[in-house]
Amino acid sequence: MSCSIGEGLAHSYYTGFLKLVLPSLASRLTKYPKISNKKLFVLIPASGSIPEQVHDMDAEIKYVGKTDELQIDKASTVGRSYVNKVYSVNDTQFSADIPALLLTLKEMADDADFTGFTADETKKEVQKFADQLKKILLKKPELDNTYVIILYDDTQKPSNAILQHLG
């Protein structure tokens, strides 16, 4: 059985981040009373292009703060730190993350002379990432209602896609 790059990255994101932070996310969001939807919004830009900060993507998205730190001993690191960021759109708060490892796909396309990877292949692998992540999470009933996966056209404002899931 073979696995594409996007599918492998989805497993890495799940095992290295989501599996660790999702179980305690709702309790770590209690200091934000304006959050009614205590799920993690996983924002996946179709092009694989990721800005420095989520709120740099769209003027409608405002950074509010971050959750309390979650410390877990992981991969030979004692007390590895995990936090989730909180944003608002139209005065509605939510927690969101863009999987930073997707930047690998974009950078592979940027280095096409070496990798042979194209922008079109990046988009296909991002789609495979999103599809595989959904499959992984659907097999984890203990994580039901802890996340929303939003694959969006990043030539559009992501706040529009977020608002569809907040409402």
Side-chain angles (χ1 to χ4, degrees):
M1 179 176 175
S2 65
C3 183
S4 75
I5 295 169
E7 292 166 334
L9 290 174
H11 284 276
S12 180
Y13 184 61
Y14 169 73
T15 60
F17 184 67
L18 294 179
K19 180 169 101 171
L20 305 172
V21 303
L22 289 178
S24 66
L25 180 65
S27 65
R28 290 182 297 113
L29 289 172
T30 55
K31 71 180 187 180
Y32 295 97
K34 288 186 178 182
I35 293 182
S36 59
N37 188 335
K38 294 191 180 341
K39 298 176 183 179
L40 180 66
F41 285 63
V42 179
L43 306 177
I44 303 173
S47 73
S49 183
I50 299 173
E52 291 295 317
Q53 299 292 328
V54 170
H55 52 282
D56 290 341
M57 299 183 305
D58 183 338
E60 301 294 320
I61 299 173
K62 307 289 186 219
Y63 176 74
V64 175
K66 61 185 179 182
T67 61
D68 291 335
E69 189 175 50
L70 173 65
Q71 289 195 349
I72 298 174
D73 296 344
K74 181 82 173 163
S76 298
T77 302
V78 176
R80 184 173 290 235
S81 177
Y82 298 88
V83 296
N84 296 96
K85 293 185 179 173
V86 176
Y87 303 92
S88 69
V89 173
N90 293 347
D91 214 30
T92 302
Q93 294 180 351
F94 61 97
S95 181
D97 185 62
I98 297 181
L101 45 66
L102 288 177
L103 195 54
T104 300
L105 298 172
K106 174 82 168 71
E107 290 177 354
M108 286 176 68
D110 291 346
D111 200 12
D113 290 344
F114 179 70
T115 64
F117 206 71
T118 67
D120 283 342
E121 288 171 313
T122 297
K123 289 179 182 177
K124 289 176 186 172
E125 292 300 323
V126 168
Q127 181 66 58
K128 289 178 183 180
F129 172 90
D131 292 344
Q132 188 67 18
L133 189 58
K134 289 175 187 175
K135 287 178 189 174
I136 293 166
L137 289 167
L138 283 173
K139 291 183 178 182
K140 308 296 178 186
E142 68 276 14
L143 297 178
D144 282 353
N145 298 312
T146 62
Y147 63 89
V148 176
I149 297 173
I150 302 175
L151 175 63
Y152 68 94
D153 175 356
D154 48 325
T155 63
Q156 306 293 315
K157 293 168 75 171
S159 59
N160 295 335
I162 293 166
L163 285 168
Q164 289 176 4
H165 293 277
L166 284 172

